[in-house]
Amino acid sequence: MNFEEIKKLDSQYGAETFSRFPVALAGGQGATLVDTEGKRYIDFGAGIAVNIFGVNDEEWKSAVIDQLGKIQHTSNLYYVEPQARLMELLCKRTGAKRVFFGNSGAEANECAFKAARKYSYDKYGAGRSKIISLKNSFHGRTLFTLTATGQDVFHRYFHPFVGDVVSVDANIESVRKEAKGACAVVIEPVQGESGVTALNAEFVKALEKFCKEQDVLLIVDEVQTGNGRTGKFHAYEHFGISPDLVTTAKGIAGGLPLGACLFFEKTEHVFSAGDHGSTFGGNPVCCAGAVNVISRLTDEFLLEVQGKSDYMRAKLRTIDGVKAVTGMGLMIGLETEKPAKEVANECLKRGLLVLTAHTRVRLLPPLNITKNEIDEGLSVLKEVLK
């Protein structure tokens, strides 16, 4: 099918929820994509931080295809090897004690919020159920995670929301003011959807200290920042903190739908049989892809990610029209003189895929992007920003 045929079907039958770029992607290799008309694009988006090793990665494909040849789904009524192996990998890599698998970042966060409320109820009884999030955060599209998303633009039309959830400014004084009745505070180390802004390190350390003193659980949302995106396995490592619950998704399975909630020592035994569940969560094919991804995120590879980040950021700061470079690792935000959406559309016309986050251009390239692909993409961006 050509682009116009695909677009016509989508326009006729698809829910009107997405504002799509005018292109239908059909294939590619690594960080170089091809559309249905044969045009090439350098990919600085990675499917919103999902395609960690780009597209058509042979090693990842082999792991997924091998599992497809065995069994594609079992449900969580039975044990399955890829799921068990992935649990072990994640726990040994992070120090977590247990893992719950869902299908998305929203489900991973939903799991963490429920776990926090049950932890507090089991220990203190009713009346200590408040979830504190930060303004400008984004935690998902379910009603609970949308309530915790600290951006009013996402709250239109969907009232009433889940009770006992509040969003505050990213400073310790604002958190303390809402501490009464709180069971957890949830943060993103880098707030991606609102502009790719890293949290202040001093605040994060103070927040960890407060949470430990008050026995309030610290939840770190690593849905976008995790799995090597910032040059560490998880971004909270940059801050030297120890969370109680960590959520992850997006890049964990290299392009297949998978989310995970990691339980650390304090929350290890919070759930019992029947407290939470998922039909598709921990699907063996998705887990086989994730085992391949996590196994390849070695310390040596993450150093390469840091090097690519330094290289891109240094180049970006020399481009006319770039006012500021934000974020962490290969999670990059650009404040540009031209409007972000205009930049993204012009880049698309010239063969570069970039994203936006409110008023900023957002760059989330595959972690294995080559230097030549980086240079080619940056040359397009430079022309667009002239």
Side-chain angles (χ1 to χ4, degrees):
M1 297 174 71
N2 63 33
F3 169 66
E4 290 301 332
E5 290 170 331
I6 294 169
K7 181 181 177 183
K8 182 179 179 180
L9 287 178
D10 181 89
S11 298
Q12 184 174 353
Y13 298 111
E16 297 172 320
T17 53
F18 299 108
S19 178
R20 303 188 196 274
F21 287 103
V23 61
L25 298 172
Q29 186 71 50
T32 301
L33 305 183
V34 181
D35 68 14
T36 49
E37 318 308 305
K39 181 178 176 180
R40 288 176 68 256
Y41 300 85
I42 298 299
D43 184 12
F44 276 9
I48 316 181
V50 169
N51 298 330
I52 278 188
F53 293 111
V55 299
N56 230 350
D57 180 79
E58 291 299 331
E59 189 175 335
W60 179 84
K61 281 198 303 182
S62 178
V64 171
I65 291 169
D66 181 64
Q67 182 58 43
L68 277 171
K70 297 174 182 176
I71 189 168
Q72 81 275 20
H73 175 72
T74 63
S75 90
N76 285 298
L77 295 174
Y78 311 98
Y79 297 97
V80 61
E81 180 184 343
Q83 189 182 103
R85 288 179 61 203
L86 182 57
M87 290 172 178
E88 180 187 29
L89 275 174
L90 288 170
C91 287
K92 287 189 172 180
R93 187 65 179 268
T94 63
K97 301 298 184 181
R98 298 184 183 274
V99 184
F100 176 87
F101 292 119
N103 307 286
S104 65
E107 288 178 62
N109 284 330
E110 188 94 11
C111 175
F113 297 165
K114 288 175 68 176
R117 284 188 167 176
K118 186 168 188 295
Y119 170 86
S120 189
Y121 185 89
D122 289 346
K123 194 168 182 179
Y124 300 102
R128 196 176 185 271
S129 58
K130 185 188 296 181
I131 305 284
I132 301 174
S133 69
L134 301 182
K135 291 181 180 177
N136 298 314
S137 61
F138 183 89
H139 297 292
R141 301 278 188 173
T142 66
L143 204 56
F144 202 166
T145 58
L146 194 65
T147 308
T149 291
Q151 299 183 63
D152 290 341
V153 66
F154 292 107
H155 292 168
R156 294 174 299 176
Y157 319 123
F158 305 118
H159 292 273
F161 288 106
V162 177
D164 234 5
V165 180
V166 62
S167 297
V168 303
D169 292 324
N171 61 68
I172 197 62
E173 293 78 16
S174 296
V175 174
R176 287 186 180 279
K177 287 178 183 177
E178 292 290 346
K180 185 177 180 181
C183 66
V185 180
V186 57
I187 63 170
E188 301 162 282
V190 182
Q191 294 183 322
E193 297 295 330
S194 61
V196 198
T197 305
L199 294 184
N200 176 273
E202 187 176 315
F203 160 64
V204 174
K205 290 293 289 183
L207 179 62
E208 180 195 36
K209 184 174 184 290
F210 163 80
C211 287
K212 286 188 180 342
E213 290 172 348
Q214 302 297 318
D215 195 22
V216 170
L217 298 185
L218 178 57
I219 304 170
V220 180
D221 178 342
E222 295 270 3
V223 169
Q224 190 170 154
T225 55
N227 307 299
R229 174 57 52 187
T230 68
K232 298 282 189 182
F233 185 66
H234 283 144
Y236 72 80
E237 297 173 44
H238 291 285
F239 298 91
I241 61 171
S242 299
D244 300 302
L245 293 158
V246 171
T247 60
T248 183
K250 288 195 181 289
I252 189 172
L256 295 176
L258 185 68
C261 180
L262 279 59
F263 298 78
F264 289 76
E265 187 172 1
K266 190 180 282 190
T267 57
E268 177 181 3
H269 301 295
V270 68
F271 280 152
S272 301
D275 285 338
H276 198 48
S278 172
T279 297
F280 289 105
N283 171 274
V285 178
C286 298
C287 285
V291 167
N292 177 263
V293 167
I294 302 305
S295 298
R296 294 164 66 184
L297 295 179
T298 63
D299 291 340
E300 182 180 28
F301 181 82
L302 293 177
L303 283 175
E304 293 177 10
V305 172
Q306 293 173 27
K308 290 173 186 178
S309 168
D310 292 342
Y311 180 78
M312 283 190 72
R313 289 168 185 276
K315 290 273 191 179
L316 286 164
R317 291 188 180 99
T318 68
I319 295 177
D320 290 339
V322 173
K323 297 165 66 177
V325 182
T326 63
M328 191 180 287
L330 287 179
M331 185 175 178
I332 301 171
L334 301 178
E335 184 181 347
T336 54
E337 291 178 1
K338 290 183 178 179
K341 291 191 183 299
E342 179 184 324
V343 172
N345 287 321
E346 284 301 313
C347 283
L348 180 75
K349 293 176 185 177
R350 297 170 186 249
L352 175 65
L353 304 182
V354 302
L355 307 171
T356 61
H358 284 268
T359 61
R360 290 187 180 172
V361 175
R362 179 168 43 159
L363 310 181
L364 302 164
L367 303 187
N368 64 340
I369 190 171
T370 66
K371 183 174 179 292
N372 286 340
E373 288 169 327
I374 291 173
D375 288 341
E376 186 177 346
L378 291 180
S379 68
V380 172
L381 186 61
K382 185 176 182 178
E383 287 298 315
V384 169
L385 291 176
K386 270 188 178 179

